[in-house]
Each structure stands twice: as C-alpha cells, then as structure tokens.
Amino acid sequence: MTAADWLAERRRIEQAATDGPWMSEWDTSDEWWTIHGQPNPTKGDDRMVCPEVATLNHREDWTADAEFIAAARTALPKALDALEAVLKLHEPVAVYAQADECECGNEDHTIIESEQDDDLCWDTPTGEQRCGECLDEDGGYIDYPCPTVAEIAEALGVEP
C-alpha cells in the first residue's frame, strides 16, 4: 500500500461518516458518555446517528476518550487535507535523457526544455524520478521519494 492509497482509504471512510461536528455529552441518567453526530441531509439523513456514534461507560479516565472520538471527526479531514497538500507538492517528476545524447533514433524527437535550460528528449525517459519540489544544495532536484515523502510514508507504515 502506498501513502496515496492509505490517504484515499481514509478519505473514503471520512466521506462516508456522518458529518461533523460531533460532540461528547455526559448523560447523568445512564452515567454514560455519549458521542453525538449531526444530521446529514446530503446523504438523505434528517436525524442523528443511532442517535449516538458511540457510548462509553462512566469512568473518570474515559472523559478523554469521549473527547478524542468526538474531535476526530473534525480533525481527520483536516489532517488528510494537510497530508494531501504536502504530497501534491512533492509529486514525482519523470527524468528524460539529454536531447543531444539520447539514443531514441528519432531525428524528429520531441524536445522539452527543463528548468535548467537543458533540451530533453520526450521520447527517452530514463526511468528515474525526481521530487518536483525538493532541491539539493546545488539547486538540482533530488531523487524521489524525497525525505519529506519518505518520512510521511514511514509514519503511516506504507510505501511512498
């Protein structure tokens, strides 16, 4: 599984869930923490979920759990947005051979100009990839996955 796959699955789960915000509420009559969701008219819903998303039996140390579950409905979409934005900046870019050195055999090959003003042969990808955002100390693009993408993938326990 890649980081993009992981994010897509979490986004699917998030989109299918009842809209937020969710809230936790102490029910004195039952001595339960109840996590409430909101109605979702876009999904044909005009009621709360069940009406609870979850209930937790009363214990002092479960207050934090109830708050965490309720806050996750708002926090997860924001975290997904942030990770997707970072990964979009650090997308892989294909590397092509120098036009004057390529061996494509096509005299009319398509020339593309790089940001370093090199003429590259569109018909001769090298199979290498660079990060579209990260530069080394000499101003050249670094190999993909860059350290940013590698760190995100490692934290998620997936491939870049």
Side-chain angles (χ1 to χ4, degrees):
M1 175 180 285
T2 66
D5 295 335
W6 188 94
L7 287 169
E9 177 60 12
R10 293 327 168 274
R11 183 65 73 186
R12 182 195 66 74
I13 291 168
E14 178 265 325
Q15 291 292 313
T18 301
D19 289 340
W22 290 359
M23 63 212 98
S24 60
E25 178 181 30
W26 171 246
D27 184 343
T28 56
S29 64
D30 290 335
E31 294 194 356
W32 287 86
W33 280 101
T34 304
I35 292 88
H36 295 279
Q38 295 295 306
N40 189 348
T42 62
K43 296 179 179 132
D45 240 349
D46 60 354
R47 57 184 166 68
M48 299 288 205
V49 174
C50 293
E52 301 95 10
V53 174
T55 55
L56 300 171
N57 194 358
H58 173 60
R59 289 205 333 227
E60 286 292 322
D61 57 338
W62 285 17
T63 302
D65 291 347
E67 290 173 354
F68 177 81
I69 293 167
R73 180 62 185 101
T74 304
L76 179 61
K78 289 179 181 181
L80 292 175
D81 290 346
L83 283 172
E84 287 170 348
V86 170
L87 291 175
K88 184 175 173 88
L89 282 175
H90 293 268
E91 288 183 325
V93 175
V95 176
Y96 295 91
Q98 297 284 333
D100 58 356
E101 298 174 5
C102 78
E103 299 175 5
C104 72
N106 182 358
E107 291 182 21
D108 297 324
H109 54 216
T110 305
I111 302 293
I112 53 176
E113 190 173 311
S114 74
E115 290 185 14
Q116 287 82 19
D117 295 326
D118 297 323
D119 287 337
L120 306 174
C121 176
W122 185 261
D123 300 326
T124 314
T126 64
E128 297 176 59
Q129 293 182 322
R130 304 280 193 265
C131 175
E133 181 70 13
C134 294
L135 301 175
D136 63 20
E137 56 277 348
D138 298 324
Y141 288 100
I142 65 171
D143 290 341
Y144 186 87
C146 64
T148 301
V149 171
E151 287 288 331
I152 289 171
E154 183 177 334
L156 298 177
V158 297
E159 295 296 316

